[in-house]
Amino acid sequence: MRIIMLTIGTRGDVQPFVALGVGLQKRGYEVVIATSSHFESFVLKQGIGFSPIRADYMKLTESEEGKRMLGNNPLEILKQMKKLIYPMITQMLEDIWAASQHADVLIYHPKVIGGYDIAQKRGIPAFIAHPTPIIAPTGDFTNPILPISISNRWLNEKSYVLNRLFLLSFMGIMNKWRRETLNLPARSIFTNDLSIEGRAVPILYGCSPATVPYNPKWGEQVCMEGYWLLQGEDDWKPSRALVSFLENGSAPIVISFSSMPLKQPDNVLSMLKQALKQTGQRAIILTGSSGMQNHANDMDENILYVQEAPHSWLFPLSAGVIHHGGAGTTAAAVKAGKPMTICPFSGDQPFWARRMHELGVSTPTLLEKQMTAERFAEAIYSLVNSLELNNKAASLSEKVNQERGVERTIDFVDRHLKKSK
């Protein structure tokens, strides 16, 4: 049976699908992941089939237009959406339709608008999947796409209606594609996208019930059995410089803003360097796409700059992690049992920042506009010295490491596919 997995976005949107895809192949399924060409080599190295989608969100977030779109100016967001996102969506719809021609089953990320429509056209079983619980309504927490938290359970449950409103900007493009390519009638913003032709669409969450509460009302429609984490990237080897740095000193703080571009990277780096000096701590800075970089005249032997490294390998060797709050990075820090400071930028990152602080494994949230050397120093001191933070991080890690997220999610997929026959 051939499963086509559709996902798009940053590495945090792709890597969990790869981890699940590896498990599905071990279970006997044929798996192809359709995503941005940016991740082609990463997918193929895991032994999974690949199909390209012409939508490079990584390149977009690194561009000046993308940075403006990630800001808070609604007019700028609308302007850049029309200029950049609409053409990308049109190409994406063409590519996912081509990739899905021989699918027996679809598993799709909600960012890949069109997964629902293809499953409807082809009449095949489909699952909607996400590493963050943003799909099924619950009163336990506010929709993670919102930057706020509401204490009212009724309002929390209603906040998931916003998922449909998100599609409003794209309904014209989608319905044109439905008519001209899929030969399907237009659908409205009121269409229930968790049901296809009267059949509920099962939901797969790649997160841990130890970190967010599972709602018993979800029943057999929702699977949330644990993180979907790759067990290791076999061909990755640390550099001599990295190994030497780790072996010749105390455990460092790991700092990573991943694909989130800082507005003033040099200024933030200067703050971090001051904070590290003030606290006497060593650090490994994963520069990623943040804009931070090692300058030629920087001779600080207590800081090592690395473009990227597998979190599953590096985080367990750290004293704590300062990061942007992406679902995958948060999961890796939780699994490693390390206390953290989260500096959220957008999307579901504020949700994970709040949740980790509520669980007692993170210092208070630190937004980019609030960053100072003193606040970084306070956070670093807590990561290294707070027994409460470290004990709670270790306790949460113990629970998470007993879960079998990928394996039990595949059990759920198996059960639903047997019912659909």
Side-chain angles (χ1 to χ4, degrees):
M1 184 174 285
R2 177 179 253 205
I3 296 180
I4 305 297
M5 306 179 77
L6 310 174
T7 185
I8 204 73
T10 65
R11 188 174 180 114
D13 296 299
V14 176
Q15 184 159 317
F17 276 64
V18 173
L20 184 61
V22 169
L24 285 164
Q25 284 209 154
K26 288 179 179 176
R27 193 68 69 91
Y29 294 99
E30 179 187 354
V31 178
V32 174
I33 293 182
T35 190
S36 165
S37 296
H38 181 92
F39 298 104
E40 180 174 3
S41 62
F42 170 53
V43 172
L44 293 175
K45 282 178 183 177
Q46 303 301 322
I48 299 173
F50 175 82
S51 184
I53 295 177
R54 289 170 292 170
D56 195 338
Y57 278 79
M58 294 293 291
K59 184 177 180 180
L60 175 62
T61 58
E62 293 170 14
S63 69
E64 287 304 315
E65 294 91 342
K67 290 176 184 178
R68 288 198 294 271
M69 194 176 68
L70 290 171
N72 296 319
N73 185 333
L75 293 177
E76 187 64 36
I77 292 171
L78 285 173
K79 176 183 174 183
Q80 298 304 330
M81 278 185 65
K82 290 180 179 178
K83 178 181 176 182
L84 302 172
I85 299 298
Y86 288 1
M88 190 182 292
I89 292 293
T90 300
Q91 291 179 331
M92 181 180 72
L93 292 172
E94 293 175 5
D95 294 342
I96 63 172
W97 176 235
S100 304
Q101 292 302 301
H102 302 291
D104 299 307
V105 181
L106 280 187
I107 298 177
Y108 60 94
H109 192 297
K111 278 186 185 177
V112 185
I113 59 173
Y116 171 97
D117 310 89
I118 292 172
Q120 181 185 16
K121 174 65 177 179
R122 296 281 323 281
I124 58 177
F127 300 81
I128 187 169
H130 204 288
T132 300
I134 68 167
I135 303 165
T138 178
D140 293 328
F141 48 85
T142 311
N143 189 331
I145 67 173
L146 289 173
I148 59 172
S149 179
I150 304 169
S151 57
N152 183 286
R153 292 186 62 85
W154 184 85
L155 288 175
N156 280 342
E157 190 155 335
K158 295 304 178 186
S159 69
Y160 291 81
V161 173
L162 292 174
N163 293 341
R164 294 186 196 173
L165 295 181
F166 168 77
L167 290 175
L168 188 59
S169 299
F170 308 112
M171 290 305 293
I173 298 172
M174 287 184 60
N175 282 329
K176 182 175 186 291
W177 173 69
R178 280 175 64 91
R179 290 191 303 269
E180 296 179 0
T181 301
L182 304 186
N183 195 28
L184 290 175
R187 64 181 175 110
S188 78
I189 196 65
F190 301 106
T191 299
N192 180 6
D193 54 6
L194 297 182
S195 176
I196 301 176
E197 306 295 348
R199 302 187 309 273
V201 179
I203 299 165
L204 310 177
Y205 283 149
C207 59
S208 167
T211 60
V212 288
Y214 180 90
N215 189 335
K217 292 182 180 179
W218 289 338
E220 264 295 291
Q221 188 179 4
V222 178
C223 175
M224 187 169 73
E225 293 284 1
Y227 293 120
W228 304 337
L229 298 173
L230 282 174
Q231 295 307 305
E233 297 180 41
D234 295 336
D235 63 338
W236 185 86
K237 301 294 181 186
S239 67
R240 290 183 180 180
L242 178 53
V243 172
S244 176
F245 185 84
L246 289 165
E247 289 179 346
N248 290 284
S250 58
I253 300 294
V254 172
I255 301 166
S256 172
F257 299 124
S258 191
S259 57
M260 294 294 105
L262 293 162
K263 293 177 181 176
Q264 296 181 305
D266 288 342
N267 190 33
V268 173
L269 180 56
S270 177
M271 294 176 192
L272 285 166
K273 288 164 69 174
Q274 291 178 53
L276 291 164
K277 186 175 182 179
Q278 183 178 329
T279 56
Q281 296 302 315
R282 295 169 5 113
I284 293 173
I285 298 179
L286 302 179
T287 55
S289 303
S290 66
M292 293 191 296
Q293 56 184 317
N294 184 18
H295 298 287
N297 60 351
D298 188 350
M299 304 299 289
D300 193 334
E301 61 183 15
N302 287 319
I303 300 177
L304 180 70
Y305 298 84
V306 179
Q307 176 67 27
E308 59 183 9
H311 294 166
S312 59
W313 183 89
L314 183 58
F315 285 5
L317 304 175
S318 75
V321 186
I322 297 174
H323 64 94
H324 63 299
T329 305
T330 303
V334 167
K335 185 172 175 59
K338 299 301 175 180
M340 60 190 96
T341 294
I342 299 182
C343 309
F345 292 78
S346 61
D348 58 354
Q349 296 164 16
F351 169 80
W352 289 117
R354 289 193 304 271
R355 192 66 196 134
M356 293 301 109
H357 185 51
E358 289 166 359
L359 291 170
V361 301
S362 173
T363 65
T365 297
L366 182 57
L367 301 175
E368 184 175 3
K369 64 184 179 182
Q370 299 169 333
M371 292 175 180
T372 64
E374 291 72 23
R375 285 179 172 169
F376 274 128
E378 290 172 5
I380 291 169
Y381 183 85
S382 295
L383 295 181
V384 175
N385 296 293
S386 171
L387 284 176
E388 184 178 9
L389 265 180
N390 279 272
N391 288 340
K392 286 187 175 180
S395 177
L396 182 59
S397 172
E398 185 177 351
K399 293 176 184 176
V400 164
N401 281 300
Q402 291 175 356
E403 298 169 347
R404 294 179 292 162
V406 168
E407 183 179 340
R408 289 179 175 170
T409 300
I410 297 171
D411 290 341
F412 178 92
V413 170
D414 283 342
R415 289 197 304 272
H416 277 267
L417 290 181
K418 287 176 183 175
K419 288 179 184 177
S420 68
K421 289 181 178 179

